Amino acid sequence: MRRLFPVTDQTSADQTDREWSLDELAEAYEYPGLAPDGHWLRANMVSTLDGAAQHDGRSQPISGETDMRIFGTLRALADVVVVGAETVRQEGYRPARAREAFAARRAAAGQGPAAAIAVVSASLDLDFSLPLFTSPLVPTLVLTGAAAPADRVAEAAKAGAQVVVAGDGAGVDPARAVRELADRGLRRQLTEGGPRLLGQFVAADALDELCLTISPMLTAGDAQRISGGSSVTVPHRLAPACLLEEAGFLFTRYRRI
């Protein structure tokens, strides 16, 4: 285990009150080595101490500065960011941007300048005039089912989005979505939710890793937890991989056993 800042011990001046560099964060969160046909899906979520994944419908109020640095680092390491349509609407999603600090690392890994965004939607009830669709650095993908409304599919394509069919019905099969993205060379995958989408990946046993920020806040109320939807028959057990701390926030990382 590693900590971003020591909580009680003062082992060295270098460890005390020292902000980790982006390179150090990138090394700590580096994707595992993948086989030529492999893929790895990690989730990045934040939760309060009493289990709320949002406050007033958004995650930003329960986040913090270091959480956002890790958020940016995880995006910079990914080939694709998978997100649900409701989260796109609520959080005002924009295209991933190229960041000079990660340019050399991405080039060495054979990646493009920024991650693609893949929006999961059965209805395609999306505003295709948003910058996410009209001006991304990398074309935005829309994951949907074979029975999606034809007029909305045409509207998405007209806006420049790449429509990917990942289900035989109206909705998306989570495991198939992972495979379809990997078949397009997008093998380092990151999902930022929301809770319903993460719940679908969990239920399908498609999630390889969870990066969970535990925010030192209490909200009460009836906010969603980080994962919703149908429960699994037997809880999935993950193994701890890393633990960081800063200003009371815990940055945990768990991997598939």
Side-chain angles (χ1 to χ4, degrees):
M1 295 293 185
R2 292 189 285 179
R3 289 178 293 178
L4 187 56
F5 298 119
V7 182
T8 56
D9 58 315
Q10 302 292 324
T11 53
S12 75
D14 182 59
Q15 288 180 312
T16 305
D17 294 333
R18 183 180 67 85
E19 182 176 82
W20 275 25
S21 69
L22 291 177
D23 275 342
E24 288 174 309
L25 286 176
E27 289 170 7
Y29 284 94
E30 186 177 9
Y31 277 84
L34 298 175
D37 60 346
H39 48 71
W40 188 266
L41 174 64
R42 68 167 37 140
N44 182 34
M45 301 291 284
V46 59
S47 170
T48 64
L49 294 172
D50 53 350
Q54 303 165 338
H55 184 66
D56 289 338
R58 300 180 65 240
S59 59
Q60 189 277 333
I62 62 173
S63 181
E65 182 179 350
T66 301
D67 184 43
M68 294 309 299
R69 291 183 79 232
I70 291 176
F71 173 91
T73 299
L74 294 181
R75 277 195 164 201
L77 296 175
D79 295 325
V80 62
V81 178
V82 188
V83 62
E86 184 62 20
T87 298
V88 167
R89 289 188 287 265
Q90 289 186 348
E91 302 280 355
Y93 259 61
R94 299 185 64 84
R97 59 188 178 90
R99 299 179 61 186
E100 183 61 32
F102 297 98
R105 186 180 294 271
R106 290 187 66 87
Q111 296 173 296
I117 304 293
V119 183
V120 177
S121 177
S123 67
L124 276 70
D125 181 16
L126 298 161
D127 183 353
F128 292 115
S129 68
L130 294 175
L132 177 61
F133 300 102
T134 61
S135 57
L137 189 62
V138 180
T140 295
L141 297 92
V142 177
L143 295 166
T144 193
D151 61 329
R152 298 305 296 165
V153 171
E155 192 69 21
K158 181 180 177 181
Q162 296 181 1
V163 179
V164 179
V165 175
D168 294 330
V172 169
D173 178 323
R176 180 172 166 182
V178 170
R179 294 194 302 270
E180 290 285 349
L181 292 172
D183 287 346
R184 287 163 171 76
L186 305 173
R187 302 190 300 132
R188 303 174 187 88
Q189 302 170 3
L190 169 68
T191 180
E192 298 169 350
R196 283 186 295 178
L197 179 60
L198 179 56
Q200 292 170 12
F201 282 126
V202 171
D205 196 22
L207 189 70
D208 298 299
E209 180 179 326
L210 173 62
C211 298
L212 175 63
T213 296
I214 301 175
S215 171
M217 301 180 189
L218 296 168
T219 64
D222 57 357
Q224 290 179 297
R225 37 188 286 209
I226 67 165
S227 178
S230 302
S231 63
V232 298
T233 303
V234 178
H236 299 168
R237 181 74 179 265
L238 302 181
C242 186
L243 174 63
L244 311 177
E245 185 276 341
E246 191 273 327
F249 285 81
L250 296 179
F251 305 98
T252 71
R253 186 178 174 200
Y254 288 84
R255 287 186 169 189
R256 179 191 292 275
I257 295 175

